[in-house]
Amino acid sequence: MNTQDSAKRHLWLHFTRMSAYNDTDVPVIVRGEGPYVYDDRGRRYLDGLSGLFVSQLGHGRTELAEAAHRQAGELAYFPLWSYAHPNAVELAERLAALAPGDLNRVFFTTSGSEAVESAFKLARAYFKLVGQPERYKVISRDIAYHGTSMGALSITGLAGIKPPFEPLVPGSVRVPNTNFYRAPEHGDSLERFGRWAADEIERAILREGPETVAAVYLEPVQNSGGCFPPPPGYFQRVREICDRHGVLLVSDEVICAFGRLGHYFGAERYGYRPDIITFAKGLTSGYSPLGGMLVDDRLMEPFNEGTATFLHGITFAGHPVSTAVALANLEVFEKEKILENVRANEAGFRATLERLNDLPIVGDVRGDGYFYGIELVKDKATKLTFDDDESERLLRGFLSPALFDAGLVCRADDRGDPVVQLAPPLICGQEHFEEIERILRSVLTEAWTRL
Ligand SMILES: Cc1ncc(COP(=O)(O)O)c(C=O)c1O
């Protein structure tokens, strides 16, 4: 069988309607170089989503490949179950030094879902250990994505992806997100809107009973729904609320950490102190899978006494090859001043994307750093969105394939209101932003004529 036939017969693509490929080819990406990838027909695409918010340094970095090669030859595998290996130790120390506050303890995983799942289990186990066993509930925001394992899916706020798997883990509660473009209250003041959205968390805590709530899970910039940055003061207010009620604040930085927002951590960019940071994706720029959570010393303390044990582990977590790659990745971040590149160019990225505001279909351009969402609307003046049928035709039927055909990998997502998501590799500069804008302009203009 050729690759297409084999892919269609044997490969199960994630979050994908497989029937969509009955009559069209599965795109097969074969190699990458810098911010570009190439398919099996030799066509080039600008990787405007860094794969899946992963490829911070871009593709084809031989120093990362060599770090993996060297480590596999030295010690390919050993578990972190009661053993350590030098890379895990060094990386944990490095991450603790980069993280804000007293987040000095690292529990490695292989993925973002496992990181969120681990933070969920740690919150429950911690409160049991310190004599507050009734604290088990978790709070997160509408439309926020936190992963697919049963715990992480329970925390996820995308109602549409949950029904096939219900009943989920009980005690998961939703609060509003920070979509200012569609603010249900205080649409005239970002500050007041932010205060309201934070206070909604307190109202949820009080409604549920503060003594039953374990943790709040928030991304620095919420991805799903199309990049909602936090209003000024939002996280500071959430921190106050969490402190008042003894609730843990988990910053889910699976996307936002490692330069996406021009800092190692989103919490640093927005000046707040979480109790746990979950991370994955960009830590290795995708050259090997790795995730984890950074935990405040205070949460680890009860596990440092007597027979106490965090009864949780993952075979491949903190894999020697992945941790070697992560160390090499962070070395390149320093050497090539990757964070500085994002900070120097983010205003240019924003300004370039904002040029698209002259198109009738573009309702809102929002984001921070190298992380943007463009919300599409049917009527700019009223912010009228598309109905399900139009969304289906526009996003799935036209936009996604047309953008790809035009040479841009990005994401047309309708899990909230319809948005195009962009998160290019952190090595990109103005020439790449121009290319993104040019392709989006032409495809979005065509989309408007098809409505
Ligand atoms: C904020 C957030 N949390 C968790 C996850 C889950 O990560 P993974 O797909 O590595 O399991 C994702 C994935 O996109 C994410 O964006």
Side-chain angles (χ1 to χ4, degrees):
M1 274 198 261
N2 66 28
T3 304
Q4 278 304 323
D5 293 340
S6 297
K8 289 179 187 184
R9 172 69 186 87
H10 295 294
L11 189 61
W12 204 330
L13 302 179
H14 297 204
F15 275 111
T16 301
R17 269 187 215 167
M18 292 305 288
S19 67
Y21 293 112
N22 284 345
D23 305 316
T24 55
D25 280 356
V26 177
V28 179
I29 303 299
V30 294
R31 72 183 179 89
E33 200 180 319
Y36 294 97
V37 292
Y38 296 79
D39 70 10
D40 56 354
R41 299 170 298 171
R43 294 194 50 192
R44 190 179 89 156
Y45 305 85
L46 180 57
D47 184 2
L49 206 63
S50 300
L52 201 53
F53 313 100
V54 165
S55 308
Q56 314 296 67
L57 295 185
H59 303 274
R61 303 291 305 227
T62 50
E63 60 273 63
L64 300 195
E66 278 158 15
H69 175 84
R70 262 196 316 276
Q71 184 56 47
E74 177 97 12
L75 175 70
Y77 175 71
F78 221 73
L80 292 182
W81 302 48
S82 76
Y83 301 94
H85 57 78
N87 294 339
V89 177
E90 189 182 337
L91 183 60
E93 184 180 23
R94 188 89 191 266
L95 293 172
L98 295 174
D102 294 328
L103 276 70
N104 293 316
R105 186 67 69 161
V106 180
F107 186 96
F108 285 114
T109 67
T110 54
S111 72
S113 294
E114 288 170 355
V116 172
E117 196 77 27
S118 301
F120 194 175
K121 291 178 78 174
L122 176 60
R124 282 196 176 190
Y126 167 78
F127 281 121
K128 284 207 160 78
L129 214 50
V130 298
Q132 301 179 51
E134 65 283 9
R135 278 196 196 266
Y136 70 95
K137 293 180 187 168
V138 288
I139 293 177
S140 61
R141 296 184 290 199
D142 287 330
I143 320 181
Y145 181 78
H146 292 285
T148 49
S149 56
M150 291 301 262
L153 183 62
S154 304
I155 296 171
T156 287
L158 284 158
I161 65 169
K162 299 166 95 160
F165 312 107
E166 285 167 354
L168 295 175
V169 182
S172 184
V173 176
R174 289 302 78 69
V175 292
N177 57 46
T178 61
N179 182 358
F180 185 57
Y181 182 64
R182 297 196 177 277
E185 306 260 345
H186 307 295
D188 55 342
S189 158
L190 183 59
E191 280 76 12
R192 284 216 309 278
F193 169 67
R195 172 90 175 208
W196 168 84
D199 286 349
E200 281 293 300
I201 294 177
E202 182 157 47
R203 280 187 274 278
I205 292 172
L206 293 171
R207 207 165 46 236
E208 294 298 321
E211 70 290 350
T212 68
V213 180
V216 178
Y217 292 77
L218 306 171
E219 292 165 88
V221 173
Q222 181 177 322
N223 171 43
S224 284
C227 281
F228 307 139
Y234 174 80
F235 272 109
Q236 288 66 27
R237 181 80 178 158
V238 172
R239 180 71 264 177
E240 272 172 45
I241 292 165
C242 286
D243 286 346
R244 188 152 51 242
H245 299 292
V247 171
L248 303 179
L249 172 55
V250 181
S251 190
D252 183 358
E253 308 216 7
V254 166
I255 290 178
C256 291
F258 308 114
R260 181 59 47 205
L261 301 171
H263 294 264
Y264 279 111
F265 296 100
E268 192 188 335
R269 171 159 185 151
Y270 301 117
Y272 63 95
R273 182 183 47 79
D275 299 296
I276 301 174
I277 289 177
T278 50
F279 60 84
K281 295 191 187 265
L283 174 56
T284 60
S285 285
Y287 287 73
S288 195
L290 183 61
M293 58 174 173
L294 267 152
V295 178
D296 190 287
D297 288 333
R298 189 181 96 254
L299 301 183
M300 202 297 171
E301 263 163 34
F303 292 93
N304 236 348
E305 287 170 20
T307 57
T309 308
F310 185 32
L311 295 168
H312 180 59
I314 298 152
T315 299
F316 283 135
H319 193 282
V321 171
S322 300
T323 44
V325 169
L327 286 165
N329 187 48
L330 294 176
E331 216 172 284
V332 177
F333 265 63
E334 298 284 316
K335 206 169 66 205
E336 297 186 8
K337 300 194 181 322
I338 297 297
L339 303 182
E340 290 82 347
N341 186 58
V342 173
R343 296 209 285 257
N345 287 302
E346 66 172 320
F349 189 33
R350 177 190 290 273
T352 310
L353 293 178
E354 280 179 346
R355 297 208 298 251
L356 297 166
N357 272 322
D358 66 353
L359 299 179
I361 198 171
V362 171
D364 196 26
V365 175
R366 57 190 176 235
D368 266 333
Y370 275 22
F371 188 27
Y372 273 81
I374 298 174
E375 180 165 339
L376 307 179
V377 289
K378 208 162 125 179
D379 186 328
K380 245 177 150 72
T382 61
K383 302 184 182 176
L384 181 68
T385 193
F386 303 96
D387 61 32
D388 288 351
D389 204 45
E390 289 163 335
S391 242
E392 173 77 23
R393 267 192 302 120
L394 181 75
L395 268 83
R396 291 183 191 269
F398 175 72
L399 267 183
S400 296
L403 287 165
F404 188 67
D405 285 347
L408 178 64
V409 177
C410 60
R411 183 168 182 184
D413 192 357
D414 62 353
R415 294 183 297 179
D417 293 306
V419 287
V420 175
Q421 295 277 88
L422 294 158
L426 310 184
I427 50 167
C428 284
Q430 191 57 36
E431 65 187 286
H432 306 108
F433 307 152
E434 296 290 340
E435 189 175 344
I436 289 171
E437 195 265 353
R438 203 166 50 242
I439 294 173
L440 283 173
R441 175 172 295 279
S442 124
V443 174
L444 292 175
T445 303
E446 165 81 14
W448 184 250
T449 68
R450 288 171 172 250
L451 276 172

